[in-house]
Amino acid sequence: MIADNSNEPREYDAVLGGQSQIPIAAAVLGGIAGVKQRLHNPSIESRIAAVKDAPKYGDAGLKLAIEALLDPAPEVQRVAYAVLRQRTESFVRQALTKFLPYSLFECIRTVKTGTNVAISPAGDRTASLHGKIIRICDLETGEILYNVQKYPRAKESFVLCQESEVFVRSRNTPKHRAIDIWQGGELLHTSLGHEGEITAIVISPDSQVIATGSADTTIKIWNSETGKLICTFGNLLTWKAHKAGISCLAFSPIAQTLASSSSDGTIKLWNLRSRECSQTIKGYANCLALSPDGQTLAAGGWDRNIQLRQLSHPDNSIALAGHFNSINAIAFSPDGRTVVSASADGNLKFWHPSTGEHIHTLTGHQNSVTCLTFSSDGETLISGSLDKTVKTWGIN
């Protein structure tokens, strides 16, 4: 067995008492003691160098890197996080689950797109309108996966499925309101049924069903594989249904609950198994999101605020205030410990959903931010804007 002499000097260390000038990346006094000393150095550059060297000294060094996550300098925290997130040790992974990296986020990539941007739930594909063509692209490579022709003289919106190449478009013309389901550039189904303009469209996390909301006050649930109508929630058909047009929809992560908001001044939760309205909340929203456990509802509106409600006590809400314009999109981080909002003011804001505390603001978009999503691991955030760009935010 080879002894672990982590406190002994190594070939890349500078030993106190030597005659040569100590390089910034050298561990003074050798071993773990040198790393520890530099982590208390007033120089940010010295502390960054110490964090980079820390993994050379085994578990003891990694524990010092974990401590550096609490360094007062964001630059040091950012390097510590970058070093640690590559590690597989259980104690490192456990430490990272307790650390919220979002205060360190910055723009790491900007991609030019068209208008009407949509982002897939996994953040790996985009759809955007370029003249008379809708392009579905791989966000990582920029490759055009397939094109869809815009429908002539139609008002359109579109969404992308979680993993497959399914692309769903709502199109409104004076005569028709239709749902088109495409896969890989091939039109599979066209579904008709709404009598008024289709104002909201979402796909369930398991990609099995599509929900649409309309100015005709109804919500319709469609089978994504067949395009067939499954059910309708409407004032003439369903007890406690909305009495005015639908403004937005959102599925719970487990796809058993659908949240809807209407200009009738209510937000409703629908149980898709029983096909009943399970809860009605007073309020209006133009974007909604449900937490990963399905217990917290976030609603953003034209009043520039986000309301967070525990569904077990919906009358007690937390207001998140700080944007200068209406809220266009909301998303929870995969672990549910953070919520992010996108606004017409061009900014994105991170919040603690349990306390309402503001964590961080991202700036960089030159126009209204219209959509956003987290990557599945929560290590990046992707946002789309009317400035015809999609930005990826994370830690370099």
Side-chain angles (χ1 to χ4, degrees), residues 6-10 13-16 26-35 57:
S6 61
N7 291 317
E8 295 296 324
R10 304 186 184 186
D13 294 339
V15 182
L16 189 66
V28 181
L29 297 180
I32 203 70
V35 174
Y57 299 98

Side-chain angles (χ1 to χ4, degrees), residues 362-375:
L362 295 173
T363 61
H365 280 297
Q366 302 303 308
N367 207 326
S368 176
V369 183
T370 57
C371 56
L372 76 163
T373 188
F374 279 95
S375 61

Side-chain angles (χ1 to χ4, degrees), residues 317-337:
S317 64
I318 298 175
L320 310 180
H323 282 291
F324 300 110
N325 212 321
S326 62
I327 312 301
N328 293 331
I330 305 174
F332 282 89
S333 61
D335 61 11
R337 294 192 298 152

Side-chain angles (χ1 to χ4, degrees), residues 39-287:
L39 285 173
H40 291 88
N41 193 303
S43 167
I44 292 177
E45 290 77 10
S46 293
R47 301 205 300 276
I48 288 175
V51 171
K52 291 180 178 179
D53 280 347
K56 299 174 183 177
Y57 299 98
D59 290 356
L62 291 174
K63 290 177 181 178
L64 289 178
I66 291 172
E67 292 179 15
L69 291 172
L70 301 177
D71 192 280
E75 299 92 334
V76 178
Q77 293 181 34
R78 188 174 289 111
V79 172
Y81 182 77
V83 166
L84 293 168
R85 70 179 176 182
Q86 307 298 327
R87 309 296 302 198
T88 59
E89 291 85 350
S90 59
F91 73 95
V92 174
R93 306 313 303 173
Q94 184 177 5
L96 288 180
T97 60
K98 299 178 181 179
F99 178 72
L100 291 178
Y102 303 122
S103 62
L104 306 177
F105 269 31
E106 57 189 358
C107 183
I108 57 178
R109 183 174 55 184
T110 298
V111 176
K112 291 184 179 181
T113 61
T115 57
N116 294 19
V117 178
I119 306 170
S120 66
D124 58 346
R125 286 164 291 123
T126 63
S128 58
L129 180 62
H130 300 255
K132 297 181 180 180
I133 295 175
I134 302 168
R135 292 178 182 170
I136 291 79
C137 299
D138 184 292
L139 185 59
E140 182 70 28
T141 65
E143 176 189 0
I144 299 175
L145 301 176
Y146 57 92
N147 292 322
V148 172
Q149 292 289 326
K150 183 184 184 303
Y151 197 83
R153 296 180 297 280
K155 183 179 179 181
E156 300 180 339
S157 62
F158 32 81
V159 289
L160 294 163
C161 274
Q162 176 74 21
E163 297 175 353
S164 67
E165 292 187 350
V166 172
F167 163 86
V168 182
R169 171 177 67 183
S170 67
R171 52 181 172 87
N172 297 283
T173 68
K175 294 184 178 180
H176 299 100
R177 290 89 187 176
I179 302 296
D180 292 336
I181 303 173
W182 300 72
Q183 184 167 18
E186 178 184 356
L187 178 61
L188 301 181
H189 308 287
T190 294
S191 303
L192 303 172
H194 281 296
E195 296 180 0
E197 179 182 346
I198 298 169
T199 52
I201 178 170
V202 290
I203 304 176
S204 63
D206 60 9
S207 302
Q208 296 301 303
V209 298
I210 301 162
T212 55
S214 170
D216 64 14
T217 77
T218 67
I219 298 168
K220 293 184 180 292
I221 310 298
W222 314 81
N223 183 303
S224 62
E225 292 186 2
T226 66
K228 300 294 184 181
L229 180 65
I230 298 173
C231 65
T232 298
F233 301 134
N235 190 38
L236 299 178
L237 302 169
T238 313
W239 177 249
K240 296 183 180 180
H242 285 296
K243 298 179 181 180
I246 310 302
S247 58
C248 59
L249 300 167
F251 277 104
S252 67
I254 54 177
Q256 295 178 352
T257 301
L258 177 72
S260 62
S261 178
S262 165
S263 54
D264 65 10
T266 64
I267 297 170
K268 294 181 180 290
L269 299 178
W270 302 91
N271 185 314
L272 298 183
R273 288 184 173 177
S274 64
R275 300 183 183 180
E276 295 177 339
C277 176
S278 60
Q279 198 167 355
T280 298
I281 302 168
K282 291 183 178 180
Y284 173 82
N286 56 317
C287 58

Side-chain angles (χ1 to χ4, degrees), residues 288-367:
L288 295 166
L290 285 157
S291 60
D293 63 4
Q295 299 304 305
T296 304
L297 176 71
W302 298 105
D303 62 358
R304 304 173 294 179
N305 296 327
I306 302 103
Q307 298 291 330
L308 292 178
R309 292 181 172 88
Q310 294 297 318
L311 294 180
S312 56
H313 300 88
D315 293 333
N316 299 325
S317 64
I318 298 175
L320 310 180
H323 282 291
F324 300 110
N325 212 321
S326 62
I327 312 301
N328 293 331
I330 305 174
F332 282 89
S333 61
D335 61 11
R337 294 192 298 152
T338 307
V339 64
V340 61
S341 53
S343 169
D345 63 17
N347 297 330
L348 299 101
K349 291 183 178 290
F350 293 90
W351 316 83
H352 284 295
S354 58
T355 64
E357 177 188 355
H358 174 248
I359 299 172
H360 187 46
T361 297
L362 295 173
T363 61
H365 280 297
Q366 302 303 308
N367 207 326

